[in-house]
Amino acid sequence: MRSRKSLKAEQAPLMWDTPGLVAGVDEAGRGPLAGPVVAAAVILDDLHPIKGLGDSKVISPRRRERLYDEILAKALCCSIAEASVEEIDRLNILQATMLAMRRAVEGLRLKPAKVLVDGNRLPTLNVLAEAIVRGDALVPAISAASILAKVYRDRLCQHLHQEFPQYGFAMHKGYGTAEHLAALREHGACLHHRRSFSPVAGVLG
């Protein structure tokens, strides 16, 4: 007959390694001066593995685009969500990022038993969650989420470029490059710029 002590020892890891579906979560767009911050949540299908997943920042744009379509086709479920420029300015970029991540998880068609989030911060969730530093390079589900968020936001910046070509959003994706800062000084800020970010505030002030 097993002792209570040994039974507790066997059960303890279950608190951390909860069986069931695991979702990976990552974001794109914390640093830019314009546009929303985007988060994605992905539950991969073990029966349909995807080759070549990794940190979206080190994968070529063409490869990211192919992986984006493959993830949408093969994953059990995916969800992409945003926090708007207005929410970024009202809440601050960290809290807006957490909001986008929570929206992405809540948008999943299937509820995960555990959520793995890239980085060292966790959004408020009603499910067990763990933050993993460099998770986008270590955990396939987080890598997939990283790719979805990155490609989605890059495509969004293409649309912003069509609306406001003078800023060059298609090239710099909203980041504070020398060209973008020069365009801000020449044209001022548009409605997609984050007014709480100092380079934009400086132009407006």
Side-chain angles (χ1 to χ4, degrees), residues 163-203:
E163 187 179 1
F164 294 96
Q166 65 268 35
Y167 296 103
F169 288 127
M171 282 69 75
H172 53 64
K173 306 301 188 292
Y175 283 91
T177 63
E179 293 78 10
H180 190 184
L181 295 175
L184 266 173
R185 288 191 293 269
E186 181 178 356
H187 303 289
C190 73
L191 60 91
H192 299 293
H193 281 101
R194 302 172 181 178
R195 280 145 174 77
S196 57
F197 279 42
S198 56
V200 180
V203 168

Side-chain angles (χ1 to χ4, degrees), residues 19-37:
L21 299 175
V22 176
V25 176
D26 202 1
E27 54 75 26
R30 286 184 65 173
L33 307 180
V37 61

